[in-house]
Each structure stands twice: as structure tokens, then as C-alpha cells.
Amino acid sequence: MRKHPLAQMLAIGAVASVVGVAIALSIDWFPTRAAAKVNEIDTLYRVLLSVSVPIFVLVMTVAIYSVVKFRARPGDMSDGAPIHGSTRLEVIWVTIPFLLVTGLAIYGWVVLNDVEAKQQGETVVKVRGQQFTWHFQYPGPNGKTVDSDVLYLARDQPYKFEITTNDVIHSFWVPEFRLKQDAVPGQTTHVRITPDRVGTYAVVCAELCGLGHATMRNTVRVVEPNQFKAWLEQQARGAAATAGGGAAPGRGAAAGKQVFTSNGCGACHTLADAGTSGTTGPKLDDIAAAAAKFGKQRGLTAAEYVKQSIEDPTAFVVPGYPPVMPSFKGRVQGAELDALVEYLLSVSGGKGGSG
Ligand code: CUA
């Protein structure tokens, strides 16, 4: 009358697997789909779920069934029956996982190969990570380049992102596009994405890169191609208006603003004049007063204090803020540094200038 325990376990496991897979597939796991090939990636994920849930369920069924059914009765102090090797079982439990893992690896490779395939007419966007923001550079009209800290993208345009970093390892990730790629010091990595849905998303850093890691997010805007073109041309004109690239001595506060923007200071600092709203570090709208106060305490002029805060941020940390600012020594220097200091002091009500 009684069924063999193995048959019972298999029967329970099969029913539990069906229920488990049904639950796993009914859950909506994914964020908005906003790029081509996203469905392929999501399907891959569902296939992995459908294969791994039954394995988990079967293993747990055998474990729980055995604990309940074959536990020692009270007072039974005897050892269990001696266990001998079983060649047949061993062959089975090596072969099945080998076939499963190999099959899934081939499937994953096929999908990845397709997702990473070179696209016709792709635009190269340079992506640069930095503690704790991202910078994007586009090929603009007339061979110029356009810099932005917002990732503007045209719908249905294939992009190749070339990813580098100024400092440590970061990871470029837009969940709605699914793909993720590390930014590694000394290397250029790349990822190909064709956004196909208009909307606003976020580039998220997916690699622990320091205390400000969680704040390392930049906006992504996918817009219609004509809007993108208009934006790019407007940016190119804006860049031409402040032409010359880096800051030159004597150009003062205007050049300082550009230094502020191109170094991503606004990712962490609020400064109304630059239109930024970061909250990781102190608000800079009143840095002139703060620099005067803290500088005096430390025997520095306001300009010396601001300069030290940029080059050696941990020398003094404003109370109430985490000591997360990286040093910009060697990255912002000379005339650029002077211009930045002058800019910060002048827009926040100070006299500015370090003489
Ligand atoms: Cu950059 Cu985390």
C-alpha cells in the first residue's frame, strides 16, 4: 500500500515546483522597459527562474521530508545504516547539473552576443565616472564636442557608451536599459544601448565607490530625435559662447563657474548661481560667510580656506556633514583653482579673489 519514500518526495516536489514557478513568473520583477533588447534580457531572467526554482524546491523537499520522516525516535541511540557509495547516483548528480549549467551558459552567451552587437549608425557617447557624479560627452555639430551632466538621448538612436573613470571603480547602470558596465581606472569599457521609450530615468552607480556612492546618480532624458538635435545645437552654441575650453587667468568668476560645472561640484553641493541642488556637502550659497568664519578660526583668509577645502577637504569638515569629499588637488589647479575660489566667493556675497 505505502508508496516508496522517493516517489513521495518526487510527487510533493513536483507539485511544489509547479506552484513555485507559477508564483515566480507571476511577480513583476522588472523596472520600466526603455531600450531595445530589454525583452530578451527579461526572458533570460524568467528562464533562469523557471529552472532554478524547481531545483531549490526539490532540494528543500528532500531535506524537509527526510528530517520529518527519518528522524530518530525517542530513545533510539543506534547509528543509522552504513552508507555505501553509489556510482549510478554520483553519475546522475554530476551529469544533470553539468547539462543544465552548460545549456544556460550557452543561452546566456547567445543573448549577450546579440545585445552587444554593433549597431548601424551608432553614436559614441563618452561617459566618465568620478566620485560622485557622471559626465557625458557627445560629438556635436562641426566636429565640436558637447559636455553635459545630464544624459540626453534620442529615442531609437543606437548608442555606444565609452566608459572611463577619473578615480576609482564605478559602474554605469540605467535599470530601465538593463545593461550595466564597470568604469575601471586605466581602461575604456563600453556598452551598447538603443533607448526606445521617451522618459526620465537615472544613471545609477552600481559599484561601491566611497562614502558618497549612494548619491552618485545623474538624470537620463530620452527625448524625440528632433528635440535631441535642438538640445545638442543649443549646447554647442552655449559652449561656443564660453569658448576656449579651460579657464584662463584674469577671466575670473565666469571661468570659475565653468570649473565648478565641469568638475561636477553640483552633484554634492547646492549653488543657486550654477543651478545645482546636491545635498551631500554644505550648501555653497553662503560659503563666503562660512569661509570667513571657519577661516578665521583656523587662521586662514576666506580664499585660503576655500582653496584648502578643495585641495585638502579632510583638513576641516563642516560640522554636520560626512567627510566624503575627495581631494581635487592636481585636478583643479593654478588659474582654474583661483577662478573657482573667486567664483564661489563672489556669488555668495563675498569680495572674492585671493589677490
Ligand atoms: Cu561611483 Cu558608486
Side-chain angles (χ1 to χ4, degrees):
M1 281 293 280
R2 276 192 52 185
K3 278 193 198 155
H4 191 276
L6 201 58
Q8 278 190 339
M9 285 189 247
L10 280 174
I12 296 170
V15 173
S17 292
V18 170
V19 174
V21 170
I23 293 173
L25 292 182
S26 70
I27 295 173
D28 185 14
W29 299 96
F30 310 108
T32 306
R33 296 169 177 85
K37 319 261 185 188
V38 162
N39 286 332
E40 270 180 74
I41 296 166
D42 291 356
T43 301
L44 172 66
Y45 187 87
R46 287 203 192 85
V47 170
L48 287 178
L49 269 179
S50 308
V51 173
S52 43
V53 166
I55 294 172
F56 173 77
V57 167
L58 279 171
V59 169
M60 292 313 289
T61 304
V62 170
I64 295 168
Y65 185 97
S66 303
V67 164
V68 173
K69 202 87 173 180
F70 304 128
R71 69 184 186 280
R73 301 283 165 249
D76 180 358
M77 301 299 284
S78 66
D79 281 343
I83 294 170
H84 301 282
S86 167
T87 308
R88 203 204 315 171
L89 261 185
E90 282 169 20
V91 169
I92 291 173
W93 79 50
V94 169
T95 306
I96 292 179
F98 174 78
L99 291 177
L100 269 178
V101 172
T102 306
L104 290 174
I106 291 171
Y107 175 33
W109 182 81
V110 168
V111 171
L112 188 64
N113 202 42
D114 182 48
V115 164
E116 289 187 333
K118 191 174 185 338
Q119 302 294 313
Q120 284 287 321
E122 59 189 18
T123 300
V124 175
V125 175
K126 294 202 162 91
V127 176
R128 202 155 39 85
Q130 168 195 321
Q131 289 171 318
F132 297 99
T133 188
W134 296 97
H135 304 286
F136 310 103
Q137 191 178 68
Y138 303 77
N142 309 324
K144 285 191 209 116
T145 56
V146 166
D147 293 291
S148 172
D149 283 356
V150 172
L151 182 57
Y152 266 88
L153 299 171
R155 186 171 60 86
D156 293 334
Q157 165 66 39
Y159 287 96
K160 181 186 183 190
F161 296 99
E162 292 185 348
I163 305 164
T164 56
T165 170
N166 279 354
D167 37 49
V168 300
I169 301 181
H170 303 277
S171 186
F172 175 83
W173 184 38
V174 180
E176 290 80 0
F177 299 162
R178 300 297 186 271
L179 293 175
K180 187 190 284 174
Q181 183 62 266
D182 278 3
V184 183
Q187 285 185 24
T188 301
T189 52
H190 69 262
V191 66
R192 287 189 167 91
I193 292 162
T194 306
D196 65 358
R197 186 178 175 281
V198 168
T200 301
Y201 315 104
V203 183
V204 180
C205 178
E207 179 69 50
L208 184 60
C209 55
L211 277 170
H213 161 68
T215 66
M216 188 165 167
R217 287 168 163 260
N218 290 53
T219 304
V220 183
R221 279 191 215 291
V222 178
V223 296
E224 296 295 347
N226 56 344
Q227 278 177 280
F228 178 81
K229 198 162 167 263
W231 172 82
L232 195 68
E233 277 164 8
Q234 188 199 338
Q235 295 296 305
R237 275 200 301 276
T242 53
R251 291 187 50 225
K257 184 171 181 173
Q258 205 191 333
V259 176
F260 184 88
T261 304
S262 64
N263 282 281
C265 307
C268 293
H269 294 283
T270 293
L271 181 60
D273 187 75
T276 66
S277 55
T279 54
T280 306
K283 198 172 167 179
L284 300 180
D285 288 323
D286 45 15
I287 189 180
K293 184 180 114 187
F294 294 129
K296 196 170 178 189
Q297 286 173 11
R298 301 174 47 77
L300 302 169
T301 67
E304 284 166 350
Y305 170 82
V306 175
K307 201 174 271 192
Q308 186 189 58
S309 300
I310 295 165
E311 292 194 309
D312 187 11
T314 49
F316 173 78
V317 177
V318 176
Y321 289 94
V324 296
M325 176 159 159
S327 168
F328 282 78
K329 199 179 178 97
R331 288 200 252 155
V332 177
Q333 54 193 339
E336 286 201 343
L337 181 58
D338 290 338
L340 178 57
V341 172
E342 187 181 337
Y343 168 66
L344 289 172
L345 290 175
S346 67
V347 295
S348 57
K351 289 263 153 56
S354 51

